[in-house]
Amino acid sequence: MGTVPERRVVVTGFGVISAIGSGREGFLAGLRAGRDGAGPVTAFDTEGFAHGLSCEVPDFADDERSEYGRATRMAAAAAGMAVRDAGLDLERLRGASGVIAIGTTDGDARDLDDLAAVEVAKGLADLDPLLAGRARFSRMPVAVADELGLEDVELITLPDVCAAGTYAIGYGLDAIRSGDADYALCGGADAFCRRTFATFYRMGALSRDVCRPFDVDRTGVVFGEGAAVLVLEPLDTALARGAVIHAEVLDHNLNCDAFHPTRPVGESVAACMSGALVNARVAPGEVDLVFAHGTGTPTNDSMESAALAEVFGSGAVPPVSAIKSMIGHTMGAASAHSCVAALLAMEHGFLPPTANHRTPDPECPVDCVPNAAREGEPRTVLVNALGFGGSNAAVVLRRYRDEVVR
């Protein structure tokens, strides 16, 4: 199919699973309340770890004999929610050209944890073939297609670690704009697992209590889990079928500095955000709200604050929400969760808070909407995301009812 210049793309549905609530109403209530989903780790035995909390999803049951693992089933469940929210006819989808793009960090590494434990205790002969099959990252979009009965659809897994959700949304946006797809189901999913918990513990990056982004006493990450999936489609198609339009995806930007496995480069992060605004033809002063990567680690938050000042100007940074303080770091789902939070903030007229904030840090001079949601009318929102290895991503969303000439 040929290129379709300036094809406008909108969000018509979303599904979300998180530690503070799942589905539209559950997630919205958690965001408005500034609820902290952190609690004791239940997914595995934490003996030997001096500290560690998790933001696990309490109402998503494991299915030990499913052909799909926990993270993959979360992705499929969120996609089903998104399609229902969009009011899409599945028969109509089956006759259209589509893309399913799911971002992840660990995939179903939780199954790898279990396989490793069996190998250590009993040996290779006792490994469960079902678990071995579930551990393949590539099966995440397959499960979505299976859940919805979709065939002849492009399937892609994007393992771009903590920026993977935005990478997936950008992939869907580009596919629709180019005319290669009539719709996209895109977002991210990850399940809490021992492997990544232990890795961050050894790095000294796990919080000793709670996640408190931009606070002078922040000590690190609290891991979460969950999924968030968006339905993207062309504006003209959405209007023709009378769909509710949550927001327009103005544009996105990606870059990779490839400087260090874990240490972000502020100049590259700022360049990525600035590039997204340029691509979206949005001036910095038009942005009403930023969803920060906001991990709660000393290095990330100081760097990100400086990058925001570079993009917007010192003293001119708009309010900044860091929802990892509530849902934990959901890895490949993190930026997709932020996009859903952005949609709800625009639709319901509020700024989600940064929870657990006690003492401002002079190195992080941002208005992080501390502790309590704030009423407001965010119209244009920037979502920022970083990933290990220097993968940076940013996306710009705009409330559709504020139609402007672009």
Side-chain angles (χ1 to χ4, degrees):
M1 299 177 70
T3 300
V4 183
E6 297 300 316
R7 196 179 195 191
R8 296 174 65 183
V9 177
V10 294
V11 183
T12 56
F14 62 85
V16 60
I17 296 170
S18 85
I20 62 169
S22 298
R24 170 190 290 273
E25 296 306 322
F27 192 55
L28 174 62
L31 289 174
R32 276 198 178 278
R35 186 180 304 146
D36 183 357
V41 174
T42 66
F44 51 83
D45 184 357
T46 58
E47 184 179 356
F49 295 99
H51 60 269
L53 298 171
S54 64
C55 291
E56 297 174 53
V57 177
D59 53 358
F60 194 86
D62 284 325
D63 184 349
E64 294 181 358
R65 303 318 298 169
S66 169
E67 65 176 299
Y68 299 116
R70 182 176 175 87
T72 299
R73 288 185 294 105
M74 284 182 176
M81 290 181 200
V83 168
R84 291 189 294 274
D85 183 55
L88 284 168
D89 184 305
L90 284 176
E91 288 302 320
R92 183 174 179 179
L93 279 190
R94 289 171 189 136
S97 174
V99 165
I100 300 174
I102 304 297
T104 192
T105 295
D106 288 309
D108 279 306
R110 192 155 167 165
D111 292 325
L112 291 177
D113 288 348
D114 292 340
L115 288 166
V118 171
E119 181 181 357
V120 170
K122 299 180 180 180
L124 289 171
D126 285 305
L127 295 186
D128 186 341
L130 177 66
L131 293 187
R134 292 194 335 186
R136 289 178 290 161
F137 283 23
S138 59
R139 303 193 77 215
M140 301 188 85
V142 174
V144 173
D146 193 19
E147 172 82 8
L148 300 171
L150 299 176
E151 298 179 352
D152 298 323
V153 60
E154 181 184 356
L155 307 177
I156 184 166
T157 303
L158 294 157
D160 297 281
V161 285
C162 310
T166 308
Y167 270 73
I169 291 166
Y171 190 92
L173 173 67
D174 289 343
I176 294 172
R177 278 193 172 162
S178 69
D180 290 335
D182 300 316
Y183 70 92
L185 304 178
C186 45
D190 262 302
F192 182 62
C193 67
R194 181 185 178 94
R195 182 186 71 169
T196 302
F197 180 89
T199 299
F200 273 69
Y201 182 88
R202 290 293 298 272
M203 289 169 52
L206 281 188
S207 176
R208 291 190 291 272
D209 49 15
V210 296
C211 180
R212 51 179 87 254
F214 305 113
D215 189 287
V216 72
D217 296 318
R218 65 190 183 278
T219 58
V221 168
V222 171
F223 277 112
E225 63 176 0
V229 174
L230 279 59
V231 175
L232 305 186
E233 58 184 303
L235 174 62
D236 54 357
T237 301
L239 292 174
R241 70 180 186 87
V244 174
I245 297 173
H246 297 302
E248 182 172 1
V249 186
L250 295 186
D251 222 314
H252 74 300
N253 194 41
L254 312 172
N255 70 18
C256 182
D257 51 68
F259 169 71
H260 188 275
T262 62
R263 187 183 308 142
V265 176
E267 293 81 2
S268 294
V269 173
C272 188
M273 288 189 281
S274 293
L277 295 177
V278 169
N279 293 344
R281 287 177 280 174
V282 168
E286 294 179 71
V287 176
D288 304 301
L289 177 63
V290 174
F291 281 86
H293 192 60
T295 59
T297 58
T299 299
N300 177 91
D301 294 1
S302 297
M303 175 282 305
E304 194 170 13
S305 297
L308 288 166
E310 185 174 337
V311 172
F312 292 99
S314 181
V317 177
V320 175
S321 290
I323 66 170
K324 289 181 180 67
S325 61
M326 294 180 274
I327 66 172
H329 194 336
T330 57
M331 308 302 285
S335 54
H337 274 128
S338 288
C339 285
V340 171
L343 299 175
L344 291 170
M346 288 186 282
E347 183 176 343
H348 293 275
F350 75 106
L351 310 184
T354 299
N356 303 315
H357 197 270
R358 298 183 303 196
T359 308
D361 184 350
E363 291 189 2
C364 303
V366 296
D367 171 10
C368 67
V369 195
N371 302 316
R374 185 183 303 164
E375 296 306 305
E377 292 293 331
R379 174 174 173 268
T380 303
V381 178
L382 173 68
V383 176
N384 188 41
L386 323 176
F388 277 6
S391 296
N392 305 311
V395 64
V396 185
L397 304 169
R398 175 165 282 164
R399 188 172 59 189
Y400 178 72
R401 67 175 179 265
D402 291 320
E403 180 64 4
V404 296
V405 177
R406 294 180 55 227

